[in-house]
Amino acid sequence: MRKFIVMKKSFIFLHIAVILGGFTGIFGKLISINAASLVWLRVAISCILLYGILKVTKLFKHYSFREAFRLSASGLLPALFWVFFYASIKYSNVSIGVVCFCLTGFFTALLNPVMNNRRLSVVELLLSTLTLIGGSLIFHFDITYRTGIILGTISSFFGSLYIMTNEKLVRKFDTRMMNYYQMLGATVGIGILLPIYLHFSPVQHLIPTTMDLVYLVMLALFCTVGLYLLVAEALKKIPAFTVNLSFNLEPVYSIVLAVLIFHENRDFNGSFYLGLSLIVISVVLQVFTSSPPKSRR
């Protein structure tokens, strides 16, 4: 009975984390500053919060300069992923941004054999192609959203690189410290690139408003640090395979929230719903065709 209660609690933590992930795009739409500034403030606040939590809980570990640099450098991948993701939302809407995120699987299926010396999975490629067809249908449903879709596609490419890089790093480093150093590296990297970004894409509104700061703190506290801690807690009792499959629901939650909050369904037509249906089908089929990694004995 006690074991059942603990497992149930872990699944509750996991699905709260998935729902929090669904709010990520919502905050991106609510925050008025440009995508690069938004990401820089998000990772900076998250870095500070993580540092404080790790210090207070005495979980902070010191790595060599080489190891710390490697982890920090890997933080540029999530930073670029988030910049293009939020830019996609600002040039289109939340639904477009999260639908494009589903293309991560397509890029992973193509890049995994090259980066990790693995055989090309025909099943993964077919399912990812189905996602690509769905994305193409959405691309043609409204010409005004094409810039956002292109930016979202680029974000999914960096998201794929981020996932594959982390797959290697988690085998060697403590995930809590890895997350901290990645936020630190993202803060420094975006801080250096931000002036260049603003030079080529000047904005009138650079200083965040009071509400922007409130949303940014909520984004960092709940959708970054809080989400990570909930997932880490869930992983104590739930296999990583199950956790990864559960996060396939994140785009669905985001679209539902976007419809409820921003009434984005008013902009959709038959082409969008058909494309979205193909993407959802590909995700469902991936769940049924995937199998958890065999445990080592």
Side-chain angles (χ1 to χ4, degrees):
M1 184 67 181
R2 179 180 175 83
K3 184 178 180 181
F4 172 78
I5 294 174
V6 172
M7 285 294 293
K8 184 178 179 181
K9 185 178 179 181
S10 296
F11 273 106
I12 291 173
F13 285 159
L14 173 59
H15 285 286
I16 291 175
V18 176
I19 293 171
L20 288 176
F23 275 98
T24 303
I26 302 298
F27 282 119
K29 192 72 173 180
L30 290 171
I31 298 170
S32 62
I33 57 177
N34 67 82
S37 300
L38 189 162
V39 173
W40 183 75
L41 288 169
R42 175 186 182 178
V43 294
I45 296 171
S46 299
C47 182
I48 295 170
L49 289 173
L50 275 171
Y51 179 81
I53 292 171
L54 290 170
K55 280 291 187 179
V56 170
T57 56
K58 297 182 179 180
L59 294 173
F60 193 92
K61 299 178 181 179
H62 293 279
Y63 289 128
S64 67
F65 175 79
R66 184 177 180 180
E67 291 174 326
F69 180 80
R70 179 185 178 186
L71 291 173
S72 298
S74 70
L76 288 176
L77 291 176
L80 290 172
F81 159 63
W82 283 331
V83 167
F84 283 102
F85 173 72
Y86 286 121
S88 172
I89 289 175
K90 291 185 179 295
Y91 275 94
S92 54
N93 56 36
V94 176
S95 300
I96 294 295
V98 298
V99 164
C100 289
F101 174 72
C102 295
L103 292 174
T104 301
F106 173 76
F107 288 113
T108 302
L110 291 180
L111 295 174
N112 224 350
V114 178
M115 293 184 64
N116 296 320
N117 295 319
R118 294 179 180 174
R119 294 179 60 184
L120 180 66
S121 172
V122 177
V123 174
E124 287 182 4
L125 188 60
L126 289 174
L127 292 178
S128 299
T129 302
L130 188 62
T131 303
L132 187 63
I133 294 172
S136 299
L137 287 170
I138 293 172
F139 183 80
H140 288 94
F141 98 95
D142 194 330
I143 192 171
T144 59
Y145 290 148
R146 289 190 176 180
T147 300
I149 293 171
I150 292 171
L151 292 169
T153 302
I154 296 172
S155 78
S156 67
F157 172 77
F158 284 113
S160 175
L161 290 177
Y162 173 49
I163 291 170
M164 288 185 288
T165 300
N166 268 12
E167 187 178 6
K168 295 179 179 179
L169 293 175
V170 293
R171 299 170 187 168
K172 299 180 179 180
F173 300 99
D174 178 85
T175 55
R176 291 163 294 205
M177 290 304 302
M178 184 181 79
N179 191 257
Y180 162 72
Y181 277 113
Q182 286 182 336
M183 293 300 101
L184 178 62
T187 302
V188 175
I190 295 297
I192 294 172
L193 295 174
L194 189 56
I196 302 174
Y197 179 95
L198 293 174
H199 174 75
F200 289 100
S201 182
V203 292
Q204 294 180 345
H205 178 52
L206 184 61
I207 306 299
T209 64
T210 301
M211 285 308 301
D212 283 340
L213 291 174
V214 172
Y215 291 140
L216 279 163
V217 171
M218 292 174 66
L219 176 63
L221 182 61
F222 295 109
C223 300
T224 307
V225 177
L227 184 153
Y228 166 76
L229 293 176
L230 285 170
V231 170
E233 190 66 27
L235 281 169
K236 293 179 180 179
K237 298 296 179 181
I238 302 174
F241 174 79
T242 304
V243 172
N244 289 333
L245 288 183
S246 298
F247 269 91
N248 285 329
L249 293 171
E250 182 181 328
V252 178
Y253 287 140
S254 291
I255 292 175
V256 171
L257 289 169
V259 169
L260 293 175
I261 298 173
F262 303 118
H263 307 289
E264 289 188 359
N265 56 305
R266 293 178 298 186
D267 300 327
F268 301 162
N269 62 13
S271 180
F272 177 90
Y273 286 115
L274 179 58
L276 178 62
S277 298
L278 289 177
I279 291 172
V280 171
I281 289 171
S282 71
V283 171
V284 172
L285 288 176
Q286 183 181 359
V287 172
F288 285 105
T289 56
S290 300
S291 57
K294 296 179 181 179
S295 58
R296 297 178 181 177
R297 295 189 178 183

